[in-house]
Amino acid sequence: MDKVIITNNVCQQLTEVLREIKHDRLFLLCDTTTYSLCYPTIKDVEGISEATHIIIGGTDTHKNLDTIAKVWTEMGNGGGTRHSLMINLGGGMVTDLGGFAASTFKRGIPFINIPTTLLSMVDASVGGKTGINFNGLKNEIGVFNQPATVLIDTQFLRTLDYQNICSGYAEMLKHGLISDMKTFAELLSFDLNNVDYAHLAQMVSTSVEVKEHIVAEDPQEHGIRKALNLGHTVGHAFESFALQFENKPENPQGIHPVLHGYAVAWGLICELYLSCIKTGFPTNIMRQTVQFIKDSYGTLSVTCNDYPQLFELMTHDKKNTAGTINFTLLGGIGDIRINQTATKEEIYEMLDFFREG
Ligand code: GLY
């Protein structure tokens, strides 16, 4: 299992980690944004300025074969060997792609993740899922491989805008829902419009622990790790649905591509509703959660004409088996029910609730 260190002094921690993990060459992977905004924070750490810096494009469209080929090429040209070390400094795209590059170069070298977004701190950088998009499918090619260390510097939280705080916070809500009432109640009472960063940092630590415990039990998602998919069956469908409006900003419904966590938050509304009707989740907690999400994230303007497409997108989810749509639902906070299914009628009813609820 990876070692996750939460700190407000990434330079000191990184210095120690670089001394501990012996290496002949050091590679630093950033995207264009993290290279200009976050690299200056670590540039004076011993060994960092002399490392081979590999800079890639910063959006999900760059999470592809061309980019991974560029990274492998620069690692080879930079004299990389099996005893080299990689640092991934960035959001989920950098830690996923960099983790995959490191896991496959010379059959695998160790890597350190330094996540710079809330989403990557509480989710992507922890747990060893690495990979790239391929053939039009997200994260189609990849491996499970744990980072040697994850260094989470909560100071980076102060650089994030409201949307990026909300996006990561959706995964924290998910972690609260699958853990216990105290953790969840604390999350629902937090004011996202007036962020208390010290409090957020402490909740990040709790959230990461929830994920670490689950991943330690089931690193390759054969069973309980599916708990982390709560909100994601519908969330991924919403995300793909919204993406089709990328070059159509004038569409009548006013839909535009959304950050992953927004789709997850809306997916949580839907899957908590399904949990109420199928696995006995308490309606009052579902209503409170829906209110928090609507207040903080707004909504996605789907109409009933969109249901067939959303249903179709759910049938293509990677987590499905034998043609049935797979959901993770809850019987209550922390009462996880994996491998649940729903009929088309139940799914349409759920979408009615999402629109009108
Ligand atoms: N993002 C869910 C997981 O890591 O399993």
Side-chain angles (χ1 to χ4, degrees), residues 20-257:
E20 270 166 32
I21 306 176
K22 300 286 169 229
H23 52 276
D24 56 1
R25 293 270 188 287
L26 185 61
F27 296 93
L28 172 70
L29 182 73
C30 298
D31 66 37
T32 43
T33 306
T34 60
Y35 197 59
S36 67
L37 297 182
C38 306
Y39 167 68
T41 305
I42 61 164
K43 75 175 182 8
D44 293 330
V45 170
E46 194 185 331
I48 290 291
S49 60
E50 306 81 47
T52 301
H53 297 176
I54 307 175
I55 320 296
I56 58 177
T59 57
D60 203 62
T61 49
H62 295 95
K63 196 177 172 183
N64 59 20
L65 265 184
D66 286 345
T67 308
I68 198 88
K70 166 187 154 80
V71 175
W72 283 325
T73 305
E74 294 195 25
M75 291 169 84
N77 292 347
T81 73
R82 197 176 265 184
H83 307 287
S84 301
L85 176 65
M86 175 96 158
I87 300 173
N88 302 313
L89 177 70
M93 186 275 200
V94 168
T95 57
D96 280 13
L97 186 141
F100 183 56
S103 302
T104 44
F105 182 75
K106 309 268 183 200
R107 296 207 175 92
I109 64 168
F111 62 100
I112 298 167
N113 284 341
I114 307 180
T116 55
T117 63
L118 182 56
L119 189 74
S120 61
M121 288 180 195
V122 297
D123 191 21
S125 70
V126 178
K129 281 188 179 175
T130 73
I132 55 168
N133 304 333
F134 182 67
N135 201 20
L137 298 167
K138 281 179 71 86
N139 303 322
E140 177 74 348
I141 305 295
V143 295
F144 284 103
N145 190 27
Q146 301 294 338
T149 301
V150 183
L151 288 181
I152 298 178
D153 188 340
T154 52
Q155 295 300 316
F156 286 128
L157 292 172
R158 293 176 184 272
T159 67
L160 301 175
D161 60 17
Y162 177 80
Q163 281 77 17
N164 275 288
I165 292 279
C166 282
S167 186
Y169 203 78
E171 298 288 358
M172 294 173 67
L173 289 173
K174 178 194 80 181
H175 290 159
L177 283 162
I178 60 175
S179 56
D180 58 75
M181 194 60 216
K182 181 173 171 288
T183 305
F184 188 61
E186 185 178 4
L187 285 159
L188 276 198
S189 64
F190 189 73
D191 185 357
L192 285 168
N193 288 298
N194 187 14
V195 172
D196 173 344
Y197 288 98
H199 189 188
L200 181 60
Q202 175 221 315
M203 291 195 300
V204 164
S205 172
T206 308
S207 199
V208 169
E209 272 173 33
V210 173
K211 178 156 185 180
E212 279 187 285
H213 278 130
I214 288 180
V215 172
E217 222 177 296
D218 177 22
Q220 304 220 349
E221 203 173 298
H222 299 301
I224 194 61
R225 185 163 181 169
K226 292 182 190 176
L228 299 173
N229 295 333
L230 178 68
H232 283 65
T233 302
V234 184
H236 282 149
F238 282 154
E239 197 173 0
S240 306
F241 174 80
L243 197 59
Q244 74 188 307
F245 297 98
E246 190 164 26
N247 298 314
K248 299 175 195 150
E250 304 303 326
N251 65 88
Q253 285 164 256
I255 297 177
H256 51 83

